């Protein structure tokens, strides 16, 4: 059974960096592609970026200048960093496993982590 | 403004068949597989339909997907109260080189 769990601060100050970790169990991060998706309160889903097992990343162009994703194979987790946050970055952040190439198939999801940007 | 267009709401009575549309373009739906997600309040989305019309293990056959040209549809037959949720379509977009989502449709079972 594949499981993902997000962790990180639930409150971040404006202009600071949001950092989240997604810990994977039941699968190896070296064998798949992984993604971060966010959902502002009461709104729809937005893709942030994905990270392949080879370490290759692809970020949403609207966030690209502020996003960094990385893989830690020793801990079987991957991370998200979003810099210079504003209130518009307040959202529930989900990590998920992505199947295939050129796909939007996300078969396993974490429960989500609410991150609020506020001073 | 989402890349894929869905109606914000849909409704039906128990036992009815309802459909939810998802409209895109030649850079996304036309040349790529469409997937559907079901989301209950406070929970993560769940993969409901993948690759246009494939149901992952455990998804009832009341749910079905189809695609034609630049549009796709999710159909739910034998509507049940527990189907009340938000539904999102998603596909790959060649222009942005990444996945794109619809704005979501809130399904109400009357």
């Amino acid at each position: 059974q594949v499981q993902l769990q997000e962790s990180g601060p639930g409150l971040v100050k404006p202009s600071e960096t949001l950092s989240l970790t997604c810990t994977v169990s039941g699968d190896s991060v070296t064998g798949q592609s992984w993604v971060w998706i966010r959902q502002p309160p009461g709104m729809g889903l937005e893709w942030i970026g994905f990270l392949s097992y080879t370490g290759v990343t692809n970020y949403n162009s609207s966030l690209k200048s502020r996003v960094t994703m990385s893989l830690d194979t020793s801990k079987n987790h991957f991370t998200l960093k979003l810099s210079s946050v504003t209130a518009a970055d307040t959202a529930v952040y989900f990590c998920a496993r992505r199947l295939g190439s050129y796909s939007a198939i996300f078969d396993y999801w974490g429960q989500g982590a609410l991150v609020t940007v506020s001073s | 403004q989402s890349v894929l267009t869905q109606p914000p709401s849909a409704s039906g009575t128990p036992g009815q068949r309802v459909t939810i549309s998802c409209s895109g373009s030649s850079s996304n739906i036309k040349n790529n597989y469409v997937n559907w997600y079901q989301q209950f309040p406070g929970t993560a989305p769940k993969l409901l339909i993948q690759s246009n019309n494939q149901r992952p293990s455990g998804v009832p056959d009341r749910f079905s997907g189809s695609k034609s040209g630049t549009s796709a549809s999710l159909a739910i037959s034998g509507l049940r109260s527990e189907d009340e949720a938000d539904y999102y379509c998603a596909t790959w977009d060649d222009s942005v080189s990444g996945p794109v989502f619809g704005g979501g449709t809130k399904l109400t079972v009357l």
Side-chain angles (χ1 to χ4, degrees):
Chain A
Q1 175 77 352
V2 179
Q3 293 184 316
L4 292 83
Q5 177 70 57
E6 303 90 350
S7 59
L11 180 64
V12 181
K13 290 182 168 54
S15 81
E16 295 190 344
T17 296
L18 176 162
S19 294
L20 291 172
T21 296
C22 182
T23 301
V24 179
S25 58
D27 193 6
S28 170
V29 295
T30 61
Q32 301 289 348
S33 176
W34 307 93
V35 65
W36 287 98
I37 291 165
R38 70 180 183 179
Q39 185 172 35
M43 298 180 67
L45 301 165
E46 179 183 33
W47 164 67
I48 299 171
F50 62 80
L51 174 65
S52 77
Y53 64 93
T54 59
V56 174
T57 56
N58 192 358
Y59 303 138
N60 187 321
S61 60
S62 68
L63 300 169
K64 188 173 184 176
S65 63
R66 300 193 290 131
V67 173
T68 303
M69 293 176 60
S70 60
L71 211 58
D72 187 329
T73 58
S74 66
K75 297 180 180 177
N76 211 44
H77 73 209
F78 59 101
T79 62
L80 168 70
K81 292 187 186 298
L82 181 65
S83 65
S84 305
V85 297
T86 69
D89 295 310
T90 293
V92 175
Y93 286 76
F94 297 101
C95 59
R97 188 177 79 169
R98 187 174 78 112
L99 295 183
S101 301
Y102 308 105
S103 91
I105 303 173
F106 313 114
D107 62 342
Y108 289 99
W109 295 64
Q111 64 186 28
L114 173 61
V115 179
T116 301
V117 177
S118 174
S119 55
Chain B
Q1 191 79 356
S2 301
V3 174
L4 306 178
T5 301
Q6 296 181 237
S9 64
S11 64
T13 56
Q16 259 190 335
R17 181 178 187 271
V18 297
T19 61
I20 296 172
S21 62
C22 176
S23 177
S25 68
S26 57
S27 69
N28 43 63
I29 289 181
K30 185 170 185 183
N31 296 316
N32 295 289
Y33 288 120
V34 177
N35 312 285
W36 291 89
Y37 296 86
Q38 177 189 56
Q39 185 181 33
F40 297 105
T43 70
K46 169 192 168 185
L47 180 62
L48 195 65
I49 297 289
Q50 67 180 77
S51 304
N52 297 338
N53 54 19
Q54 304 300 305
R55 284 186 308 277
S57 174
V59 174
D61 59 7
R62 301 186 297 105
F63 295 91
S64 62
S66 63
K67 189 187 92 166
S68 178
T70 60
S71 294
S73 291
L74 172 70
I76 309 171
S77 60
L79 195 63
R80 304 172 71 162
S81 58
E82 57 259 40
D83 297 332
E84 190 161 287
D86 294 326
Y87 293 85
Y88 293 90
C89 58
T91 187
W92 182 265
D93 190 298
D94 298 325
S95 295
V96 304
S97 294
V100 290
F101 291 94
T105 298
K106 183 176 182 61
L107 176 64
T108 301
V109 181
L110 303 170

